[in-house]
Amino acid sequence: MAPDRRRLIVGALAASVALLPGCATTGFGGGAQEALQRLLEISTGRAVERLVAGNGFLNDPAARLPVPPELSRGREGAVLGALLNARPVQQQLSLMVNQAAGEAADRAAPVIFDAIRRLTFADALGIVRGGPTSATDYLERSVGTGIVDAMLPGVGQVLRGFDGNGVLGPVLGAATGVNVVAIQRVVAVQAARSLFGAIGREEAAIRRDPRSARDGLVEALLGGRLG
């Protein structure tokens, strides 16, 4: 993705959080459901902004995706198999996979934000009093596998972009039995899991320090001042 487009997308996501009614105020009129939605909006915005900037997934040890074994397990001979597992190729594979995750997160973010705005919480109090990532866990269950479908085009775009690039393109081109479509889905599934993990870490950080949300409604909810 071009840097200018990435900045525009990240800016739009940040703006969607900032424009929530009562955000960064002390108004508590929205109730627990709206406060939980804001908590998820803020957590998602921060996670996406961090992971789509530069090589965000690659530079974050907690979010970094491993190279799928399928990328090193074709029906090639011993020499080509050794090349696939050589350090320079593995480094390029890791870069490719994690750049694909960043592109996928860009594509998936609007889907997640839409899902948050549609969420209803049958047991809002239980989520508030639950574990450090209770709201994120609820969101992940609600979104389901649709997030993977939203990520697939971004993953495919990056995988195709590495054709003939550096040492990676010729080696993969010579390999046989590498199922690119299957690898695309594996990477998308990994990226979705990693993205929700990052959102959960942002939620946990806000729960530890509710003021860091810079949202009065979220702070009131986590401080037990909102029913």
Side-chain angles (χ1 to χ4, degrees):
M1 171 178 290
D4 287 344
R5 181 172 170 242
R6 190 178 296 281
R7 282 195 293 271
L8 284 172
I9 290 176
V10 171
L13 294 177
S16 72
V17 174
L19 291 174
L20 282 169
C23 198
T25 73
T26 56
F28 306 150
Q33 177 160 308
E34 184 180 346
L36 281 171
Q37 287 173 326
R38 290 188 191 180
L39 173 61
L40 287 170
E41 290 264 10
I42 295 165
S43 301
T44 299
R46 291 177 180 178
V48 171
E49 184 173 4
R50 178 163 47 82
L51 292 177
V52 305
N55 288 317
F57 275 88
L58 190 65
N59 294 331
D60 184 343
R64 185 183 305 141
L65 270 62
V67 175
E70 293 86 348
L71 273 172
S72 304
R73 200 186 293 153
R75 292 191 297 272
E76 61 285 327
V79 174
L80 188 53
L83 280 174
L84 276 170
N85 287 282
R87 183 176 178 83
V89 174
Q90 285 293 306
Q91 288 175 333
Q92 284 288 303
L93 287 171
S94 180
L95 176 63
M96 176 184 71
V97 166
N98 283 279
Q99 285 184 348
E103 184 67 31
D106 257 341
R107 302 290 184 105
V111 175
I112 296 176
F113 273 79
D114 287 343
I116 292 171
R117 294 176 187 125
R118 293 195 303 268
L119 277 182
T120 58
F121 300 91
D123 184 15
L125 189 60
I127 293 173
V128 173
R129 294 178 177 175
T133 64
S134 294
T136 302
D137 296 341
Y138 184 84
L139 171 64
E140 185 174 7
R141 291 194 300 270
S142 299
V143 173
T145 58
I147 194 68
V148 174
D149 294 331
M151 287 182 152
L152 283 171
V155 173
Q157 178 179 325
V158 174
L159 295 184
R160 289 191 298 273
F162 269 74
D163 288 348
N165 190 4
V167 297
L168 185 56
V171 173
L172 285 181
T176 59
V178 176
N179 187 334
V180 176
V181 174
I183 291 168
Q184 185 176 343
R185 180 161 290 274
V186 167
V187 173
V189 169
Q190 289 180 338
R193 187 179 302 122
S194 187
L195 176 56
F196 278 115
I199 295 170
R201 288 190 293 276
E202 295 293 343
E203 177 192 349
I206 292 172
R207 284 178 180 268
R208 287 193 300 270
D209 179 14
R211 288 187 178 184
S212 67
R214 298 189 296 276
D215 184 293
L217 192 59
V218 172
E219 187 176 343
L221 180 74
L222 298 179
R225 304 194 305 278
L226 190 66

